[in-house]
Structure formats: C-alpha cells, structure tokens
Amino acid sequence: MNETIMVVDGETAIADLVEVYLKGEGYTVYKCSTAAQALDCVKHHRLDLVILDVMLPDQSGFALCRRIREDHLFPILILTARVEDMDKITGLALGADDYIAKPVNPLELVARVKTQLRRYIRYNKGVGAAMPQAYDIRGLQISKASHRCSLFGEELNLTPLEFSILWVLCSRQGKVVSSEELFEAAWGEKYLDSNNTVMSHIARLREKMHENSRQPKFIKTVRGVGYIID
C-alpha cells in the first residue's frame, strides 16, 4: 500500500491522531493546519485522498474543497463538528465524496478512507473487459477506459463518485435504479433509509450537466422509486 493522504486540520491533536491511524495502515501522510499550506501541498505532491476540516484559521474548508476540486479528482472527505443537513449538502455539492462528524472515530475514518480509495482506484484503472467500456446517449458520452465524460462535446469535470453514479445510470439505460441500488453500486456501502446523499449528488450532477431540475433531459426522477436515464 503506497497511497498518499493529506490531512488538513487546524487542531493539532486531531491531525496527529488521524495520522497515527493512517500510518498504521501503511499510508503516507502529509499534515497541514491551514488552507494555504494545503494548496501548496497539493501543488507539490501526488495525492490519492484528502481529509479536511471545515473550520480552518485562514479559509473555510468548503472554499478549500471547491478550490481543490477545480483541478483534481481524488476523493475528498470533510471532517467537521457541524452536523446540520445543510452543511452536509453544501460539502457534497462542492465536490466532497464523504462527510464525517467530529468527534472522530478513527476506526470508522480508516474504513471510509479505504472505501473511497478502492472506488477511486477501481474507476481510474477500469475493471473487467466483458462489459461495455463506453456509452453514448443522445450526446452524453462516458468512457470507463479514459474516465472521461462529455455532454454535447463539452467535457464534464466529474469527481470519481459522480462519474460512478453516472456510469451506473448509463449502464442501466431505460431501467429505474432505486436510491438504494444506486448508493450500494456507487458507494459500495450499505444504504441507510435516512440517507439523502444520493439526492445531493444527483443535484450536483444535474448542475454540472446544466440540467433543469424540474424538467431534466437526462437524469430523471421517478418519484418514490429512483432515477433513470431513458
């Protein structure tokens, strides 16, 4: 295991604790206490995943997440003491892949890191050769081999998780995919009834595709059932 993780947290004790557990799993860890340090680290090191706190001394973690996501596709996990649903939706909408509330359970954090890295590596390297590796649906083109997606010739800057969600929907074109199926296929985790993560990511995908949420042309909501690309 040689994946590299950046931990961005103004609280030294938390950053140190996270570092201990991640290094115990064989990861290389860079620690930053400010957004400025984090951006410098991103510029000079190859990273596979970022864990960042919302409350930083020089900039909001949300703003840092948005800045990083402009140029990079690796998973971003947000750490925060806030638990309000709107804060979670904000983080996910800005490109975060997961949201973990403080106080941090180190074992849960490590488990989520492993899940995100497995997904990121799998969808960047591609798996299997029997299934189609690309789809073209009315101008929406998505390729698993190149991990690229475009709409009417305009490339879409998708996170690995957003790509995964769209790939699942395209691969099941014409079939309704329930929120539970979509979550378990894209996230690789057990779906929770109260989980609104799928809805948040679908909204973000539609935004990137310049879709009217009330009358989408591609990702359509089948009320009470799930989502479909027909």
Side-chain angles (χ1 to χ4, degrees):
M1 182 182 298
N2 59 358
E3 289 90 352
T4 300
I5 298 174
M6 178 175 70
V7 178
V8 188
D9 198 310
E11 298 183 61
T12 303
I14 293 178
D16 289 346
L17 176 64
V18 172
E19 179 186 30
V20 168
Y21 276 84
L22 292 177
K23 283 190 171 181
E25 294 293 328
Y27 298 113
T28 297
V29 179
Y30 292 106
K31 292 186 298 180
C32 302
S33 59
T34 67
Q37 291 175 1
L39 289 174
D40 186 65
C41 184
V42 170
K43 181 178 179 180
H44 291 96
H45 298 283
R46 182 194 64 80
L47 301 176
D48 297 292
L49 183 142
V50 169
I51 300 171
L52 64 88
D53 186 23
V54 167
M55 303 298 293
L56 297 174
D58 57 341
Q59 191 178 75
S60 162
F62 290 139
L64 176 59
C65 176
R66 181 175 57 244
R67 177 65 186 85
I68 292 174
R69 188 54 80 211
E70 289 176 359
D71 302 309
H72 301 279
L73 293 175
F74 48 66
I76 299 175
L77 279 67
I78 288 185
L79 278 180
T80 183
R82 303 181 183 183
V83 294
E84 292 86 352
D85 284 344
M86 187 52 63
D87 286 328
K88 295 180 180 180
I89 292 172
T90 298
L92 295 172
L94 291 174
D97 296 279
D98 204 352
Y99 206 102
I100 304 174
K102 291 182 178 182
V104 178
N105 179 325
L107 296 179
E108 178 187 0
L109 176 60
V110 168
R112 295 198 184 196
V113 164
K114 289 181 176 179
T115 295
Q116 292 295 334
L117 285 173
R118 280 197 303 269
R119 181 182 306 116
Y120 178 60
I121 293 169
R122 182 172 72 246
Y123 280 98
N124 274 281
K125 290 185 176 179
V127 292
M131 296 296 290
Q133 295 297 295
Y135 293 96
D136 187 341
I137 303 174
R138 304 191 315 278
L140 173 62
Q141 298 178 320
I142 185 169
S143 169
K144 201 170 192 178
S146 64
H147 204 278
R148 299 179 71 178
C149 180
S150 64
L151 181 61
F152 305 129
E154 177 188 348
E155 186 160 353
L156 302 179
N157 184 23
L158 305 181
T159 68
L161 191 49
E162 290 166 350
F163 183 93
S164 176
I165 293 169
L166 192 55
W167 179 264
V168 171
L169 291 172
C170 288
S171 67
R172 302 185 190 181
Q173 182 185 4
K175 299 179 181 178
V176 179
V177 183
S178 69
S179 295
E180 179 178 355
E181 290 177 299
L182 190 54
F183 185 90
E184 294 183 359
W187 275 259
E189 300 176 7
K190 188 65 179 176
Y191 177 80
L192 301 176
D193 290 340
S194 60
N195 200 316
N196 61 7
T197 304
V198 173
M199 180 179 64
S200 300
H201 279 79
I202 290 291
R204 179 61 173 166
L205 264 173
R206 284 173 173 161
E207 180 182 338
K208 289 187 175 183
M209 295 169 69
H210 310 297
E211 287 266 79
N212 183 330
S213 60
R214 295 180 179 275
Q215 294 181 314
K217 296 179 180 179
F218 288 94
I219 304 176
K220 299 180 180 179
T221 301
V222 180
R223 191 172 299 279
V225 182
Y227 303 92
I228 184 174
I229 291 181
D230 55 17

